[in-house]
Amino acid sequence: MTRACDIETVFRAEYGRAVSVLVRFLGDIDLAEEAVQDAFTTALDRWPRTGPPPSPAGWIITTARNRAVDRLRRESSRPTRHAEAARLHATDAPPEEGPVRDDRLRLIFTCCHPALAPQARVALTLRLLGGLSTAQIARAFLVPEPTLAQRLVRAKAKIRAAGIPYRVPREADLPERLDAVLAVVYLIFNEGYTGDADLCAQALRLGRLLTKLMPDEPEVTGLLALMLLIEARRPARRDTDGSLVPLPGQDRARWDGALIAEGQELVRRCLHRNQPGPYQIQAAINAVHSDAPTAAATDWRQILCLYDQLMTVAPSPVVALNRAVAVAEVEGPARALDLVDALELGRYHVLHAVRADLLRRLGRPGEAAHEYGAAAELAESEAERAYLERRRRETSPPETRPTEAPRPTGT
């Protein structure tokens, strides 16, 4: 007997596949979504009694197609609507699985089209390929549900009004368009890493899907490797009291060895291709971190070399800031502080946190405490704010330290 949780598993695995096939078949995103949702509602009613079909994905696609035709017939108040229903009914039924590769890629590139606002790309990707509800996406990104709903409505209207094609870009346009797709997936992952683990799971699933569908694109492989190696550290990122533990202080025995092994294998695959890109280089940096049994054993010279390469391939102030952290380990905190002070990232809380750590190491606790406080004020997540506030209190000179009860710590 099929349980509701089994159908939920099918939903998570097959929703994006079914919607992508139905969008190609119907040419209408809203109608495709409604038809697939109707099909899963029918499955919830029928499968517990009859058992799942041999091909759940094919059953969902076929049932959704039939529901769409029925809906068009019911709503055929105009001759054109009736003609459309007749045309769809006469069309040969799609294969059970549909041309999975092309359909899912088409939908990904449609959701991440550069004509759409960045927030809309993320919302559409999570909605149409991830199967997340409007409420789930709104909660994940801390926006009101009506705001998120309007964002989705406007994005779909933009696709219709602008005639955004439902297809994989031409080869000449693929690199630029692929960058937008990868940026959306990585944004989803980063949003999840600061709070919502389900978003990380969605990003990893999308990364695995892209790697399967585009195995010859090294940056796709690099992004998946990067996310796996970062996600592997999640179990050690919080102390027993829930407080944040930065990378140097993490218990590496708690890192997920299977994810590290998978990520490192993908990095090696990228190295063999010898076509370095930003995601591949960042993955290689994280692979070096994952190789070190302790923080003290980290090969910072290799990491610095990789950051030098990243600054050549994709220079940015944030990359320069991360490079300065490696410089501090290789050349000392004074040299790193000079580099940090030359950056224009005043509203970026990580800059203040890095500067605070360098000042602390240089024996300037008052200035360090001030920078930790500035970082805490700018941090977006509660966990980061709490950690930075704790560092501020610990670093403050005794004569300026606030008089308050000590905060209990973990182990």
Side-chain angles (χ1 to χ4, degrees):
M1 179 174 291
T2 304
R3 298 170 298 175
C5 61
D6 297 327
I7 299 175
E8 289 176 8
T9 300
V10 174
F11 181 90
R12 286 192 297 270
E14 305 296 348
Y15 182 85
R17 177 182 306 204
V19 168
S20 63
V21 172
L22 266 291
V23 169
R24 171 182 57 84
F25 177 62
L26 299 169
D28 185 304
I29 291 176
D30 284 325
L31 185 56
E33 275 197 282
E34 292 167 1
V36 172
Q37 289 164 5
D38 284 349
F40 274 105
T41 300
T42 303
L44 278 170
D45 176 64
R46 187 173 302 175
W47 291 5
R49 292 182 284 105
T50 64
S55 173
W59 188 96
I60 291 294
I61 290 169
T62 301
T63 302
R65 173 186 178 276
N66 293 337
R67 292 290 184 274
V69 172
D70 291 343
R71 176 167 297 189
L72 287 175
R73 281 177 172 163
R74 289 195 305 270
E75 297 174 356
S76 58
S77 57
R78 294 172 297 180
T80 53
R81 201 68 160 158
H82 183 75
E84 178 66 9
R87 182 189 68 79
L88 291 175
H89 187 70
T91 302
D92 291 337
E96 279 200 337
E97 300 297 326
V100 172
R101 174 187 172 90
D102 289 346
D103 283 324
R104 284 187 289 183
L105 277 179
R106 286 185 184 116
L107 189 56
I108 289 172
F109 279 102
T110 299
C111 290
C112 299
H113 195 280
L116 301 174
Q119 302 95 328
R121 298 177 205 171
V122 171
L124 270 180
T125 300
L126 288 172
R127 182 77 189 94
L128 299 181
L129 284 152
L132 271 65
S133 68
T134 302
Q136 287 174 312
I137 302 170
R139 283 197 301 272
F141 285 88
L142 304 177
V143 298
E145 186 175 343
T147 300
L148 198 284
Q150 282 301 310
R151 193 173 291 172
L152 288 168
V153 169
R154 285 194 297 268
K156 293 174 186 177
K158 177 79 171 182
I159 290 172
R160 289 192 296 269
I164 292 175
Y166 175 62
R167 60 176 169 79
V168 177
R170 295 172 301 177
E171 186 173 353
D173 300 327
L174 187 58
E176 180 181 355
R177 291 288 306 281
L178 182 58
D179 285 348
V181 171
L182 298 182
V184 165
V185 175
Y186 196 37
L187 176 60
I188 293 169
F189 179 82
N190 281 327
E191 285 290 332
Y193 198 66
T194 59
D196 190 336
D198 287 341
L199 281 183
C200 285
Q202 287 290 338
L204 285 168
R205 192 171 68 80
L206 289 168
R208 293 184 192 280
L209 173 62
L210 283 169
T211 303
K212 177 182 178 182
L213 300 180
M214 307 181 78
D216 298 325
E217 292 291 340
E219 277 292 84
V220 173
T221 304
L223 174 59
L224 178 58
L226 173 61
M227 294 190 296
L228 288 167
L229 291 168
I230 294 174
E231 180 67 12
R233 301 198 291 265
R234 180 184 292 276
R237 197 165 181 257
R238 296 295 181 97
D239 209 338
T240 53
D241 65 350
S243 58
L244 193 65
V245 181
L247 177 60
Q250 290 177 7
D251 178 1
R252 300 182 178 218
R254 297 177 62 193
W255 288 0
D256 190 317
L259 292 183
I260 289 175
E262 184 181 1
Q264 289 180 333
E265 171 57 31
L266 293 177
V267 170
R268 286 191 289 270
R269 194 182 304 174
C270 290
L271 291 174
H272 287 315
R273 291 180 178 274
N274 196 26
Q275 299 173 16
Y279 291 113
Q280 297 172 73
I281 298 171
Q282 291 177 78
I285 290 169
N286 279 273
V288 175
H289 281 296
S290 69
D291 272 336
T294 65
T298 303
D299 188 345
W300 284 105
R301 291 189 181 277
Q302 186 179 0
I303 289 176
L304 181 55
C305 288
L306 288 167
Y307 271 119
D308 289 340
Q309 188 177 19
L310 186 58
M311 282 294 293
T312 300
V313 173
S316 77
V318 173
V319 173
L321 177 62
N322 288 324
R323 179 183 178 275
V325 174
V327 168
E329 300 299 329
V330 176
E331 301 178 20
R335 171 59 182 150
L337 185 60
D338 289 340
L339 296 174
V340 170
D341 286 344
L343 298 175
E344 296 183 1
L345 285 167
R347 301 295 299 173
Y348 184 43
H349 77 281
V350 178
L351 179 136
H352 293 281
V354 170
R355 194 169 189 276
D357 185 64
L358 296 174
L359 289 166
R360 178 189 59 79
R361 292 167 65 178
L362 288 168
R364 296 157 63 178
E367 295 171 82
H370 175 77
E371 288 295 314
Y372 278 127
E377 289 181 4
L378 294 169
E380 295 182 357
S381 81
E382 183 58 40
E384 287 180 307
R385 280 195 296 273
Y387 167 76
L388 292 165
E389 273 295 328
R390 187 169 73 251
R391 296 295 289 154
R392 181 187 63 80
R393 291 193 297 270
E394 293 169 350
T395 308
S396 296
E399 64 274 14
T400 62
R401 194 168 297 166
T403 57
E404 57 182 76
R407 175 178 173 171
T409 59
T411 56

